[in-house]
Amino acid sequence: MRVRVRVKTIKITNISLLNCVISRLLDPTLQSCCCRKIHSDAKLKDPFTLANKDLQSLFDDIRKELFVTKEELKSLCDYYFDGKGKAIRPIIVILMARALNIHSNRAGDLLPGQRALAMISEMIHTASLVHDDVIDGSDKRRGKRTINDMWGERKAILAGDLILSAASVLLARIGNNAVVKVMSQVIEDLVRGEFMQLGSKENENERFKHYLEKTFKKTASLIANSCKAVSILVTSDPEVHEIAYQYGKNVGIAFQLVDDVLDFTSGASHLGKPTAADLKLGLATGPVLFACQQFPELHAMIIRRFSSKGDVDRAWQYVLQSDGVQQTNYLAQRYCQEAIRQINRLRPSAERDALIRLTEMVLTRDK
């Protein structure tokens, strides 16, 4: 029995901006639909409760993989693996693995390689955060000082490298070449995404496409390919691999779209990092790109990456006066709707339903 989802059609006024982008990134069967507000009729399982058993020792095991004798280096590497983060990526990987196991007529328990992939997803993500903070010069992450702020940029870079190398060793131990190939794509995407973030496009439609492609590479690729990797370990069916990949891709993009909204709507103390951080870095995210439709003055600011005096404050006000935040939220809803459509193709299970519930939590999160 499929989980039924009641939706409410919402009009998007900036459809000319979205047509050339969404038609390529979403399934063609959804192109005739407007963005939708998701509300489930079913009482879906809580993702965190279901994944808790497998999460309990996950961070301890990651710290064991990062075993080093030098005390300072150990402190650097363990700093973010304190179990206090959102752990969204390993939760998705764990639930996807168990849902796929049930779909493939196996027991729901994780295979050793699948659990390793949950650890690897968090390790790659954390290494990327450490490096991002160095590139951006950030001094706050997850409500505390960044590694580069506490220990300096050189040691932060080395810590990120060590975390990534430990993840690579763990990946090699899984012993599956197809999985190694899929997860190696994540590293390439992360680097390419970072380079994409350094540039922008002058043409409006190209700019939005550039933004979404960068969002996929920097955020969604890790989730999509981790989901695909756990599917490879349980089945050789390429259709199931694609279901897992598409769920991860769409949830990942939606997650980042909401993150970009929170940069404008959530307080710094609640978010755990400074607000307007993207504008200060010269980045035009979804809310800004949508706001351009109502405030063309933003175009020049985007081109000069908000570098002139007063640009950040003016851009902030333009976004809040526009429907940019609302439009970005609507777009995130559409990506979540596609994620639900994909995961509903799997056999019913508590884990599958929890992945559906997780899409709703992505949309309603406030930090």
Side-chain angles (χ1 to χ4, degrees):
M1 177 179 176
R2 291 180 180 270
V3 175
R4 298 177 62 189
V5 177
R6 183 169 67 247
V7 297
K8 178 182 177 182
T9 301
I10 301 173
K11 183 180 180 182
I12 280 192
T13 57
N14 305 84
I15 202 68
S16 62
L17 182 63
L18 292 175
N19 279 343
C20 67
V21 180
I22 295 179
S23 62
R24 294 187 59 181
L25 293 174
L26 294 181
D27 188 273
T29 59
L30 290 182
Q31 290 174 22
S32 61
C33 303
C34 291
C35 294
R36 294 165 172 178
K37 183 177 181 180
I38 299 171
H39 174 75
S40 174
D41 289 328
K43 187 176 181 180
L44 302 178
K45 299 291 184 180
D46 176 59
F48 297 92
T49 302
L50 270 181
N52 185 58
K53 181 185 74 171
D54 294 301
L55 273 179
Q56 282 179 348
S57 60
L58 185 129
F59 290 100
D60 288 336
D61 290 342
I62 289 176
R63 286 193 291 270
K64 290 175 184 176
E65 292 294 328
L66 293 168
F67 178 76
V68 287
T69 55
K70 187 172 174 59
E71 189 61 33
E72 185 180 38
L73 188 55
K74 184 181 187 313
S75 297
L76 266 73
C77 293
D78 290 351
Y79 189 64
Y80 286 140
F81 296 114
D82 55 7
K84 296 180 181 179
K86 293 186 283 288
I88 287 293
R89 289 151 191 85
I91 286 173
I92 291 175
V93 174
I94 288 167
L95 293 175
M96 179 62 74
R98 285 165 56 176
L100 290 167
N101 292 349
I102 293 169
H103 180 78
S104 302
N105 296 315
R106 293 173 178 256
D109 292 339
L110 292 181
L111 302 174
Q114 291 174 327
R115 189 173 188 281
L117 283 164
M119 294 168 59
I120 290 165
S121 68
E122 185 67 7
M123 293 167 78
I124 292 175
H125 170 60
T126 302
S128 73
L129 293 185
V130 174
H131 286 159
D132 280 355
D133 287 341
V134 172
I135 293 170
D136 299 340
S138 302
D139 59 5
K140 196 172 184 182
R141 168 77 65 180
R142 295 178 178 173
K144 58 184 181 180
R145 292 171 64 190
T146 56
I147 288 179
N148 51 289
D149 189 55
M150 289 188 66
W151 285 282
E153 292 185 354
R154 291 184 179 181
K155 290 179 180 178
I157 292 169
L158 292 174
D161 289 346
L162 182 59
I163 295 168
L164 196 56
S165 65
S168 300
V169 171
L170 183 55
L171 178 61
R173 285 210 304 267
I174 294 174
N176 186 301
N177 289 338
V179 167
V180 171
K181 183 178 179 180
V182 166
M183 295 304 292
S184 297
Q185 183 63 48
V186 174
I187 308 300
E188 179 183 337
D189 285 343
L190 280 169
V191 176
R192 290 185 181 277
E194 194 63 49
F195 270 104
M196 289 182 73
Q197 186 163 283
L198 296 175
S200 61
K201 300 289 183 179
E202 291 192 17
N203 179 273
E204 182 181 330
N205 288 335
E206 286 185 9
R207 191 184 295 149
F208 211 100
K209 176 184 173 184
H210 181 91
Y211 163 66
L212 287 180
E213 287 181 353
K214 181 266 295 181
T215 296
F216 169 74
K217 291 184 184 299
K218 284 201 54 149
T219 303
S221 174
L222 173 58
I223 301 174
N225 284 296
S226 296
C227 287
K228 183 177 181 178
V230 293
S231 76
I232 291 171
L233 291 177
V234 74
T235 180
S236 59
D237 186 347
E239 185 176 349
V240 175
H241 298 170
E242 187 65 13
I243 290 170
Y245 178 86
Q246 288 296 331
Y247 174 87
K249 170 186 173 180
N250 283 280
V251 165
I253 293 175
F255 185 91
Q256 187 58 52
L257 289 170
V258 172
D259 208 58
D260 293 343
V261 164
L262 292 176
D263 198 41
F264 290 92
T265 61
S266 186
S269 59
H270 193 63
L271 204 57
K273 56 185 178 181
T275 52
D278 292 327
L279 288 176
K280 292 170 184 174
L281 290 171
L283 305 179
T285 56
V288 178
L289 297 177
F290 276 119
C292 282
Q293 296 293 298
Q294 293 164 270
F295 297 97
E297 301 93 327
L298 280 166
H299 289 298
M301 296 185 199
I302 291 171
I303 295 299
R304 62 178 180 258
R305 298 178 70 86
F306 311 104
S307 59
S308 295
K309 186 178 180 180
D311 277 358
V312 170
D313 289 338
R314 283 198 300 273
W316 174 276
Q317 290 301 323
Y318 285 145
V319 169
L320 296 185
Q321 292 169 30
S322 74
D323 62 0
V325 165
Q326 184 184 40
Q327 298 279 27
T328 307
N329 275 326
Y330 292 165
L331 184 57
Q333 289 168 14
R334 179 160 180 162
Y335 277 104
C336 281
Q337 184 68 28
E338 172 63 1
I340 291 173
R341 191 184 76 85
Q342 291 289 341
I343 203 66
N344 258 331
R345 297 166 66 191
L346 296 184
R347 179 175 297 177
S349 66
E351 287 76 11
R352 186 203 69 170
D353 292 352
L355 288 168
I356 293 172
R357 170 68 181 133
L358 193 140
T359 67
E360 299 179 354
M361 295 172 73
V362 164
L363 292 174
T364 57
R365 71 189 182 95
D366 57 2
K367 62 179 181 180

